[in-house]
């Protein structure tokens, strides 16, 4: 339950914007410019903050960003790590998953890869309270739906 002080100090939200931007490469051009510009947000401030937060990732790593724009032209944003499918494709060395998952195997990965992906995803805001085991199970399910087979050890 919110206190009276929290209710009175809340800022009215104009919009919530979801973007996928390459790590360290936010510029005030599409897709960032038009999405944030229509709410009169400071594009250069967003680009500088985003690039600073994502400098530990390799260039061209697709980062999911949720920007909360307030009516007073200020903003807050959260950066999530890349999607599980992106990590699985990189670990398997394939461009895309199988066209017929369950019938055709696009590639295979080991449990060690799944564990490493789960450790990275555990830092995400939505996964921080999940156990490592449940995150691994979710990743294995995603791999199966992509046609990527998970084996105990790679030969």
């Amino acid at each position: 339950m919110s206190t009276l002080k929290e209710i009175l100090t809340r800022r009215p939200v104009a919009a919530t914007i979801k973007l996928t931007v390459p790590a360290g490469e936010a510029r005030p051009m599409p897709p960032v410019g038009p999405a944030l510009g229509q709410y009169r947000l400071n594009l250069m401030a967003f680009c500088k903050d985003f690039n600073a937060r994502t400098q530990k990732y390799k260039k061209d790593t697709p980062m999911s960003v949720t920007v909360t724009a307030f009516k007073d032209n200020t903003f807050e944003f959260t950066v999530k790590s890349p999607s599980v499918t992106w990590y699985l494709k990189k670990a398997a060395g394939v461009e895309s998953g199988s066209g017929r998952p369950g019938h055709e195997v696009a590639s295979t990965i080991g449990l060690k890869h799944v564990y490493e992906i789960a450790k990275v995803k555990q830092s995400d805001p939505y996964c921080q309270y999940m156990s490592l085991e449940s995150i691994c199970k979710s990743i294995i399910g995603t791999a199966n739906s992509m046609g990527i087979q998970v084996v105990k050890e790679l030969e």
Side-chain angles (χ1 to χ4, degrees), residues 2-83:
S2 300
T3 64
L4 182 61
K5 185 178 181 180
E6 289 174 353
I7 293 172
L8 294 175
T9 58
R10 281 191 197 146
R11 296 180 284 178
V13 175
T16 302
I17 308 153
K18 293 185 179 188
L19 299 168
T20 302
V21 184
E25 296 187 10
R27 295 186 189 93
M29 302 181 331
V32 177
L36 301 182
Q38 66 184 347
Y39 298 103
R40 296 188 179 126
L41 303 180
N42 188 344
L43 296 175
M44 288 310 297
F46 171 79
C47 292
K48 285 180 183 177
D49 289 348
F50 177 83
N51 292 338
R53 284 193 202 178
T54 59
Q55 67 186 4
K56 67 179 181 179
Y57 292 96
K58 288 183 181 177
K59 298 282 185 197
D60 294 328
T61 303
M63 306 298 288
S64 178
V65 186
T66 305
V67 182
T68 305
F70 299 105
K71 294 211 186 235
D72 61 350
N73 297 341
T74 59
F75 63 90
E76 293 176 354
F77 67 95
T78 57
V79 181
K80 296 183 212 157
S81 61
S83 67

Side-chain angles (χ1 to χ4, degrees), residues 92-144:
V94 293
E95 198 65 33
S96 66
S98 172
R100 296 179 55 209
H103 300 284
E104 296 175 6
V105 176
S107 184
T108 58
I109 61 170
L111 278 176
K112 186 174 183 180
H113 292 107
V114 172
Y115 178 73
E116 292 297 323
I117 294 169
K119 281 175 51 178
V120 172
K121 291 303 283 183
Q122 198 172 28
S123 66
D124 267 8
Y126 299 112
C127 296
Q128 65 186 4
Y129 299 113
M130 293 174 66
S131 68
L132 204 57
E133 181 184 358
S134 61
I135 296 172
C136 286
K137 285 180 181 179
S138 173
I139 293 169
I140 290 170
T142 303
N144 288 337

